[in-house]
Amino acid sequence: MFSPVLILLCLQGVLAAYLGERGVAFVDPTTNGGSLLDNAGDGFGEPLNVIISGLSSPDVLTDDGIINFARAIGFSKECLGIHLGAPQSANLGDGNGFVNQTIELREDFGNALLGTCLESLIGGNHFRVYRQNGTLADTGALFLAVSKEEDIEEQHTIVPDGYDIGRDLLAANAVNDGSTTSFGGVTYYTTAENITGLLPAGAAGYVEFNIAIDGIVTLLTVMIVV
């Protein structure tokens, strides 16, 4: 017997398949001259190492939706709404060219109101969000640049192997050993798939802080359970 949750998720997936261009998980940015590295502003970039699939529940892919999902997996908006440093940009090959990050979210240590203030002091996981929605690839997918960073004394540089570590921590929180996660009265069921071939392994002088990566991008499909 199939559980009601699995039946619901299957029906939602079938519905997504009929939504035209929004019915694909994502389009490889390099197909249309984009990149899986954002622009950190210094000639280097951070890997877009997690993708929230365009086949996720539509409400997840909105600005408010990704913030609520982030809170369900241990992240929240920046401390007191204050952002230090220039935003980074990314070209997702959707025809929009380089666009600044939509939002930056930080580990909240279990406190969605003030926990990110602690992350700003002691370091932790964080991610930037970019949306693929141009005329060349209007998938609605969210590309995340995830990394674990040092504390404020180290000027928030990335910890050794911090891109791969940050990706894996976020994915583990989202999948939650096959269970659901929830916040603000919304419950999520998330599945993950690791994809190779989108990002090259290594650093080769193009990854920010010259930190080598394993080249894996994790695709998350996030469904709202009702």
Side-chain angles (χ1 to χ4, degrees):
M1 294 292 293
F2 294 104
S3 73
V5 170
L6 289 177
I7 293 173
L8 174 63
L9 295 176
C10 289
L11 290 174
Q12 289 177 320
V14 171
L15 177 62
Y18 288 94
L19 294 180
E21 193 168 14
R22 285 283 172 110
V24 299
F26 67 96
V27 171
D28 180 355
T30 63
T31 302
N32 296 313
S35 176
L36 267 293
L37 290 171
D38 71 9
N39 179 9
D42 55 3
F44 296 87
E46 296 193 331
L48 305 178
N49 49 11
V50 172
I51 301 173
I52 306 295
S53 169
L55 298 178
S56 300
S57 294
D59 284 350
V60 174
L61 303 175
T62 66
D63 289 356
D64 289 341
I66 187 58
I67 291 171
N68 198 79
F69 174 66
R71 286 173 170 158
I73 63 172
F75 297 82
S76 193
K77 294 196 289 187
E78 294 187 280
C79 177
L80 304 178
I82 300 172
H83 176 72
L84 300 177
Q88 296 183 13
S89 62
N91 180 352
L92 299 182
D94 59 1
N96 287 335
F98 280 94
V99 176
N100 283 345
Q101 63 200 46
T102 299
I103 194 169
E104 187 168 347
L105 297 158
R106 297 184 180 278
E107 188 174 356
D108 66 15
F109 298 97
N111 186 324
L113 291 177
L114 297 175
T116 56
C117 296
L118 179 61
E119 195 278 342
S120 294
L121 291 175
I122 68 172
N125 216 9
H126 76 307
F127 64 92
R128 308 171 193 274
V129 180
Y130 305 91
R131 179 175 287 110
Q132 189 175 59
N133 63 352
T135 57
L136 296 182
D138 186 14
T139 68
L142 303 177
F143 287 66
L144 314 184
V146 190
S147 57
K148 185 174 182 181
E149 61 183 2
E150 303 276 11
D151 60 27
I152 193 170
E153 291 187 359
E154 297 294 330
Q155 301 179 329
H156 289 168
T157 55
I158 307 304
V159 305
D161 201 27
Y163 296 116
D164 295 345
I165 291 172
R167 176 203 62 212
D168 291 346
L169 288 173
L170 184 149
N173 287 351
V175 173
N176 194 30
D177 291 327
S179 300
T180 59
T181 56
S182 61
F183 187 88
V186 183
T187 299
Y188 305 95
Y189 180 80
T190 304
T191 56
E193 175 188 356
N194 286 337
I195 301 174
T196 58
L198 295 175
L199 277 169
Y206 54 81
V207 177
E208 184 76 339
F209 304 114
N210 202 37
I211 295 174
I213 58 175
D214 60 14
I216 293 173
V217 175
T218 298
L219 177 68
L220 299 179
T221 303
V222 184
M223 306 305 294
I224 294 176
V225 180
V226 294

